[in-house]
Amino acid sequence: MAAVSAAVLLTVFAVLPAGAGDSAAGRKRAVACQTCHGIDGVSKMPDAPNLSGQVEGYLVKALTDFRSGARSNETMSLVAKELSDADIANLAAHYARIPVEVTPPE
């Protein structure tokens, strides 16, 4: 099980080196994402995940998979088809750089 987990993590992080995207360009592109995910990456809809603070490589992999059809969601599959590799890298850079505060439960 540990080997499988390690392989998955390596695949996710190997997709694109951290910092490869342009965060400022991603913020501009994220305007189209704000209805569901919020411009700050905090979801406004119960079925849409929060994106702020996510690992950049994970976001690249998820968007690439939605675009290719390897991963399916009614909305994201349509949206991702229109994204270029640069759009994906930029969006991932933007959302990954948004700081997230976590308060542990008491």
Side-chain angles (χ1 to χ4, degrees):
M1 185 66 156
V4 171
S5 295
V8 169
L9 285 175
L10 285 174
T11 301
V12 168
F13 293 120
V15 172
L16 190 69
D22 178 343
S23 183
R27 180 168 176 76
K28 290 177 186 173
R29 188 70 167 94
V31 170
C33 309
Q34 71 183 351
T35 300
C36 299
H37 299 288
I39 194 65
D40 58 356
V42 177
S43 176
K44 307 303 182 215
M45 301 175 68
D47 292 337
N50 293 330
L51 300 179
S52 57
Q54 288 284 355
V55 175
E56 190 170 345
Y58 168 78
L59 293 170
V60 169
K61 173 95 169 93
L63 288 170
T64 301
D65 285 351
F66 281 124
R67 184 178 64 185
S68 73
R71 186 169 175 181
S72 181
N73 171 277
E74 186 176 344
T75 302
M76 285 305 302
S77 296
L78 291 172
V79 171
K81 284 184 183 188
E82 303 302 318
L83 298 175
S84 68
D85 288 343
D87 289 335
I88 289 173
N90 296 342
L91 284 166
H94 166 64
Y95 284 116
R97 284 169 181 72
I98 297 173
V100 176
E101 290 186 31
V102 178
T103 306
E106 294 178 25

